[in-house]
Amino acid sequence: MRKAVWWGVALLAILAAAFFSLAPGVVERSMNRVEPSAALARRMATPPRPRFAAPIVDLHADTLLWSRDLLTRAARGQVDLPRLQQGNVALQIFSSVTKTPRGQNYDANDGNSDNITPLVVAQLQPVRTWGSLLNRSLWHATRLRRAAKASDGQLRVVTSARELDALLAARAAGGPVRPVGGMLSIEGLNGLDGDLTNLDRLYRSGFRMAGLTHFYDNEVAGSMHGVAKGGLTPFGRQVVARMEAMGMIVDVAHASHAALADVLAVAKRPVVSSHGGVQATCKVNRNLTDAEVQGIARTGGIVGIGYWPGAVCSTDPQAIARAILHVRDIAGIDHVALGSDFDGAVTTGFDTAWVALVAEALRAQGLNEGEIAKVMGGNALRVLRAGMQPLSPMPAGR
């Protein structure tokens, strides 16, 4: 009997080890897929491989959600350091996802359930992250810093305009490997618990951009995919003002129409929609109206165009180019950028190693090299550089 119990315990341990080591990868493979169309697959198989020399910036990827080594090329997902280097990406903004509802959809979700907690546990993240959305974001910041420290200078965490300029100078100087920058953002300020000092904690951990909402209404604002879909709350107005003062860029991706209008009415600094599309080329609830695009442009901000069907109704670079051209036509070439949503539980036609396909599609549409350089990174660099400059001193550390 004792021997049977021992074998039973051993079997359970083996099964548990297999679950915790394999389950997160199985989940990710089912969500972050690269599936090129037949035409795109033929292009990717035909030399020459597209390259784009000017700085490339991607405003949004959810890579830190997944238990992969950021420094190692993976057989799953869409972003890691080797593929960023292969795609000549200068700066990747890594977003922290802390909670998503079961049955997640674009139309209406409440915040009474959470898909992320089982993933957090299965990945054996620190116990403090199991029940705290704030600590999940702080853990993502720790993961990025640790990856940068272990990268031998190939990955740099960017938290200021000075660090951004130093990164670009190092890349321009050449060398065997150009360093890649990583900047922290948050997809939905769900973990503030009504306390502005938690926003300060996120800032001190390196976060320089934040989306107000994700897939459900929260204490800051209504979500495009929430139930009430309301505007900024009184607390949300304090959050926006504090973000602008400290040098944290306001991201309105996923915000409800009412919340976006409220942000545009009070914004004193450029506003970003980090990832999505426009209803004119892909009429999905997720996407921006022409008036919203123009409102973001009036703040000096940018609209990041995504690469998945919910953003552009396709996975082909030509569809991404169509959305970019529409923003140019109604708001100007200075107000559009790239916002892939890589590793955000989306299917795309290519991963970050092939991002120059977008430049190729823009070139085919008649854009000149200066215009393409603005879209691929120049516009984003301008807005990030300005938006990270604090307007008031940060409080003393707590």
Side-chain angles (χ1 to χ4, degrees):
M1 177 65 74
R2 189 174 298 171
K3 189 173 183 180
V5 170
W6 187 92
W7 278 110
V9 171
L11 178 59
L12 286 174
I14 292 170
L15 291 174
F19 172 80
F20 288 117
S21 62
L22 297 176
V26 171
V27 170
E28 186 184 4
R29 283 188 182 90
S30 72
M31 291 185 171
N32 299 324
R33 300 194 300 272
V34 178
E35 296 179 356
S37 66
L40 182 56
R42 286 194 296 273
R43 169 62 193 94
M44 294 167 76
T46 304
R49 183 187 182 94
R51 292 283 293 173
F52 190 74
I56 298 173
V57 179
D58 180 3
L59 293 171
H60 191 95
D62 294 330
T63 312
L64 296 175
L65 178 63
W66 309 100
S67 58
R68 283 191 274 119
D69 179 0
L70 191 59
L71 305 183
T72 302
R73 188 181 186 99
R76 64 181 192 266
Q78 293 145 344
V79 172
D80 48 49
L81 181 61
R83 283 183 282 182
L84 288 166
Q85 292 171 328
Q86 189 173 2
N88 199 34
V89 176
L91 180 69
Q92 176 65 63
I93 296 184
F94 292 102
S95 185
S96 169
V97 178
T98 60
K99 180 178 175 179
T100 62
R102 287 195 294 271
Q104 177 179 304
N105 61 85
Y106 283 159
D107 297 320
N109 306 267
D110 61 36
N112 298 327
S113 61
D114 182 19
N115 291 319
I116 304 300
T117 297
L119 186 64
V120 165
V121 175
Q123 292 178 351
L124 297 179
Q125 289 184 191
V127 173
R128 66 180 180 277
T129 68
W130 293 13
S132 168
L133 304 188
L134 177 66
N135 280 324
R136 290 177 190 179
S137 288
L138 297 177
W139 171 241
H140 291 153
T142 297
R143 285 193 62 203
L144 183 61
R145 288 195 300 270
R146 287 179 178 176
K149 185 176 181 180
S151 74
D152 194 26
Q154 296 182 62
L155 176 64
R156 300 185 181 187
V157 179
V158 173
T159 64
S160 67
R162 178 181 57 79
E163 291 174 348
L164 179 58
D165 289 339
L167 168 74
L168 296 175
R171 289 178 60 83
V177 179
R178 287 179 165 184
V180 175
M183 184 183 294
L184 286 162
S185 181
I186 299 175
E187 190 147 33
L189 286 170
N190 308 314
L192 295 183
D193 297 326
D195 188 347
L196 280 177
T197 62
N198 285 330
L199 189 66
D200 295 346
R201 288 183 67 189
L202 292 168
Y203 182 91
R204 286 194 293 272
S205 292
F207 288 90
R208 292 299 180 267
M209 183 186 293
L212 304 179
T213 63
H214 196 196
F215 269 88
Y216 60 95
D217 304 325
N218 63 22
E219 63 181 349
V220 175
S223 166
M224 180 68 76
H225 327 291
V227 175
K229 300 179 173 65
L232 281 176
T233 66
F235 178 62
R237 291 176 183 274
Q238 295 179 51
V239 167
V240 169
R242 181 64 180 143
M243 288 175 66
E244 290 193 323
M246 69 170 63
M248 197 176 203
I249 297 157
V250 177
D251 181 3
V252 294
H254 293 289
S256 69
H257 293 298
L260 199 158
D262 285 348
V263 170
L264 295 180
V266 301
K268 296 179 174 61
R269 309 191 75 169
V271 170
V272 167
S273 177
S274 64
H275 62 298
V278 290
Q279 292 192 12
T281 67
C282 185
K283 195 167 179 59
V284 172
N285 177 42
R286 172 73 177 76
N287 295 334
L288 299 171
T289 67
D290 284 0
E292 289 169 338
V293 171
Q294 291 165 338
I296 291 168
R298 281 194 293 272
T299 72
I302 47 175
V303 173
I305 300 299
Y307 305 167
W308 77 103
V312 295
C313 288
S314 173
T315 59
D316 281 345
Q318 291 80 4
I320 302 166
R322 282 194 294 273
I324 289 169
L325 289 173
H326 182 76
V327 176
R328 179 204 63 178
D329 291 344
I330 66 167
I333 194 65
D334 293 329
H335 301 289
V336 62
L338 305 180
S340 68
D341 201 22
F342 279 147
D343 292 333
V346 295
T347 297
T348 60
F350 54 92
D351 62 17
T352 194
W354 287 88
V355 68
L357 286 166
V358 178
E360 187 175 86
L362 292 171
R363 199 173 289 116
Q365 291 294 320
L367 269 67
N368 62 45
E369 292 305 304
E371 292 172 321
I372 297 171
K374 288 184 175 185
V375 174
M376 297 297 288
N379 292 336
L381 291 172
R382 181 194 76 244
V383 170
L384 295 173
R385 189 179 283 112
M388 285 189 290
Q389 299 286 358
L391 297 180
S392 63
M394 284 295 296
R398 293 178 174 82

